[in-house]
Amino acid sequence: ANCRGYVLSNQIISSVIAQVAEEKDINVVLSELFSASGSETYIRPVEKFMNLDDGRDWSFWDVALMARRDREVAVGYKPVEMDYIEAEELIVNPPDKDKKRKWKKG
């Protein structure tokens, strides 16, 4: 198989248990996400959601809003200068969502 990614299952299970312990209502959401028939996760290029040729700076909130218009949810990003092997930890739930930045294709 030509698999380029991997799942840190122990880390995911630990995070799920901690979240459910803190907020029991999140169990419904997590059950949907992690069930065999639930939602799927894809890595999409940012240019799928926005025009990068206009030279504007965009925040992560802007990207998330554009993704929402396509009925998708942006949960983070991979720095464009890193390939998928180097980017062991994608930036999920970025802390500086309102910071404007130049986004690059890829």
Side-chain angles (χ1 to χ4, degrees):
N2 187 12
C3 181
R4 295 180 178 237
Y6 59 92
V7 175
L8 300 172
S9 61
N10 290 340
Q11 185 177 6
I12 292 172
I13 297 300
S14 298
S15 295
V16 167
I17 291 170
Q19 288 179 354
V20 172
E22 286 289 318
E23 181 63 51
K24 292 187 182 356
D25 292 338
I26 196 77
N27 193 32
V28 174
V29 175
L30 295 174
S31 294
E32 172 67 19
L33 290 175
F34 293 122
S35 72
S37 62
S39 299
E40 297 176 354
T41 303
Y42 297 96
I43 297 175
R44 304 263 197 231
V46 70
E47 65 268 20
K48 178 184 187 304
F49 305 115
M50 51 201 353
N51 178 10
L52 300 178
D53 296 329
D54 63 7
R56 290 181 52 193
D57 290 351
W58 301 87
S59 71
F60 182 77
W61 285 124
D62 296 323
V63 175
L65 179 62
M66 298 295 187
R68 185 176 178 200
R69 289 181 181 169
D70 286 351
R71 299 181 50 87
E72 297 195 24
V73 178
V75 296
Y77 61 92
K78 178 193 74 66
V80 72
E81 63 273 2
M82 294 182 175
D83 64 23
Y84 288 100
I85 294 171
E86 293 174 325
E88 290 181 6
E89 293 190 23
L90 302 176
I91 300 171
V92 178
N93 192 18
D96 52 354
K97 294 176 189 66
D98 56 347
K99 178 182 176 188
K100 301 279 185 177
R101 59 176 50 95
K102 291 273 186 218
W103 296 86
K104 298 177 185 173
K105 293 181 180 182

